[in-house]
Amino acid sequence: MPYQAEYIWIDGTEPAPLLRSKTKIVADGEEPGIWGFDGSSTNQALGHDSDCVLQPVFSCPDPLRGPDDKLVMCEVLLTDFTPHPTNTRARLREVVEKYGHHEPKFGIEQEYTFFKDGRPLGWPAIGYPAPQGPYYCGVGGDKMPGREIVELHTAACIDAGISIEGTNAEVMMGQWEFQVGVLSPLDMSDQLWVARWLLFRIAEDFEVYATLEPKPILGDWNGAGAHTNFSTKEMREDGGWDAIIAGCEAIGKKIDEHIAVYGVGIESRLTGAHETAHYTTFTYATSDRGASIRIPWATAKAKKGWLEDRRPNANMDPYQVTAIMVETVCGDAEGS
């Protein structure tokens, strides 16, 4: 019996790209193959030469339609089958090929904010909710809007085989987080994009929009990040502390290069307040949520483990973030 394959890709919208998707009916027993779309409608081509190619790179069961259907993450190619200029996954493939022997691993904490009727979910039409304080990991009807969506999203990720590790309410009312990992750079990035798609799609059914905007409400309210946990084989082995410190030092030498791919609007979020370091500075310390990089207490105690770069925005592209972290840290370790 034929099944439905939902092809998902990243478009060319600036300054922050959007997810797009469309459905293909695939014959029973066949795998989703190369497909195409109109790039002139996704900011990826001009009308006189509009064809773009979808190359499947990751698929999983579709938890919304049923286990026989599939979600298919794709790279965007030109018609000569070279990577489209908006295809950031292609560069990550090159970085992994060069530095994969270091066995880099990632876990990403994806924050987001529910919006409805032009304001965060649960906020009053006029004025503001009670100040931040009771919302982080909170429980209680009027304080925790959106939990039903979160529960459905979590179950959908599990059913899809996404390596979701947990969820929690965040500091601002209407703001939540889920975590994905621990995975290789390509698996991490593919799965996070699909998990985002599932979040957006499920929120549709509630007439709610899940935004990755890094500072959805200006003023004395927390922004939304995508804290990125990273390690290499050398960091995870006994005696890995030196490799962790070396990694922090290497990242600190390339502040501007990292900030450039850590998400649009980073200056509005990384102000030095609300558990952030200023985007123009760089610090690292154990258990310090105000540092650029936090070294978890468990890592410091074991003298091996991982580091957490707290600077990436919620709207960052994981293909770009994982690529630059691997290239910076592993390249420095090799002296290249």
Side-chain angles (χ1 to χ4, degrees):
M1 181 175 180
Y3 65 90
Q4 297 180 80
E6 190 71 15
Y7 280 60
I8 302 167
W9 73 96
I10 303 164
D11 78 358
T13 300
E14 294 182 348
L18 304 174
L19 279 173
R20 307 278 185 144
S21 71
K22 64 176 185 172
T23 307
K24 184 177 185 179
I25 309 304
V26 182
D28 184 29
E30 291 187 5
E31 290 298 314
I34 288 174
W35 205 17
F37 67 95
D38 171 18
S40 69
S41 298
T42 63
N43 303 301
Q44 289 169 297
L46 299 175
H48 69 276
D49 187 17
S50 64
D51 288 329
C52 292
V53 176
L54 292 173
Q55 171 67 65
V57 293
F58 169 79
S59 67
C60 62
D62 184 340
L64 307 183
R65 288 173 169 154
D68 293 333
D69 298 306
K70 294 184 178 182
L71 301 178
V72 184
M73 190 68 204
C74 300
E75 284 193 27
V76 178
L77 308 178
L78 299 171
T79 53
D80 63 0
F81 295 100
T82 59
H84 190 277
T86 61
N87 180 349
T88 54
R89 190 181 189 275
R91 178 173 178 271
L92 176 58
R93 284 193 282 106
E94 295 175 355
V95 170
V96 169
E97 184 175 351
K98 184 174 182 179
Y99 296 112
H101 56 283
H102 290 278
E103 298 178 19
K105 299 286 185 182
F106 287 88
I108 294 179
E109 305 167 30
Q110 177 68 70
E111 296 177 348
Y112 58 93
T113 309
F114 288 129
F115 263 69
K116 187 170 185 177
D117 299 327
R119 59 184 181 273
L121 189 63
W123 283 42
I126 300 175
Y128 299 93
Q132 296 180 159
Y135 310 122
Y136 174 72
C137 296
V139 177
D142 64 343
K143 296 196 298 290
M144 311 312 300
R147 189 182 296 278
E148 185 175 3
I149 305 173
V150 171
E151 294 291 334
L152 289 172
H153 175 251
T154 303
C157 285
I158 292 171
D159 290 344
I162 300 294
S163 295
I164 188 167
E165 293 190 303
T167 65
N168 59 269
E170 266 302 333
V171 176
M172 188 179 81
M173 177 186 271
Q175 187 183 77
W176 294 80
E177 173 187 302
F178 66 89
Q179 306 92 36
V180 175
V182 174
L183 298 165
S184 66
L186 286 166
D187 287 340
M188 176 71 251
S189 302
D190 292 339
Q191 291 196 26
L192 184 61
W193 275 115
V194 172
R196 286 173 170 178
W197 184 90
L198 281 168
L199 176 66
F200 300 155
R201 173 61 188 83
I202 292 168
E204 275 184 19
D205 293 340
F206 294 81
E207 298 182 351
V208 169
Y209 174 56
T211 178
L212 304 184
E213 176 65 34
K215 190 71 173 180
I217 298 294
L218 299 178
D220 194 20
W221 303 94
N222 272 43
H227 301 156
T228 300
N229 298 275
F230 170 68
S231 69
T232 61
K233 175 179 63 175
E234 294 82 4
M235 293 179 184
R236 297 187 296 269
E237 292 175 342
D238 288 342
W241 182 255
D242 289 345
I244 292 167
I245 297 303
C248 292
E249 292 286 341
I251 294 170
K253 295 173 186 175
K254 295 186 175 182
I255 298 174
D256 293 341
E257 294 92 330
H258 280 246
I259 290 297
V261 297
Y262 277 10
V264 174
I266 204 162
E267 67 282 350
S268 67
R269 174 177 153 263
L270 296 186
T271 62
H274 305 107
E275 299 181 313
T276 70
H278 197 274
Y279 69 95
T280 61
T281 65
F282 180 83
T283 58
Y284 64 90
T286 299
S287 294
D288 186 354
R289 283 177 165 76
S292 308
I293 289 180
R294 179 182 73 94
I295 299 175
W297 69 268
T299 294
K301 184 176 181 179
K303 297 301 179 184
K304 62 180 179 180
W306 73 98
L307 57 86
E308 176 197 52
D309 194 329
R310 297 179 58 80
R311 296 172 298 167
N313 276 347
N315 63 355
M316 64 81 156
D317 175 359
Y319 295 131
Q320 294 190 73
V321 170
T322 58
I324 197 167
M325 291 192 75
V326 170
E327 192 170 47
T328 294
V329 174
C330 299
D332 184 81
E334 294 186 6
S336 58

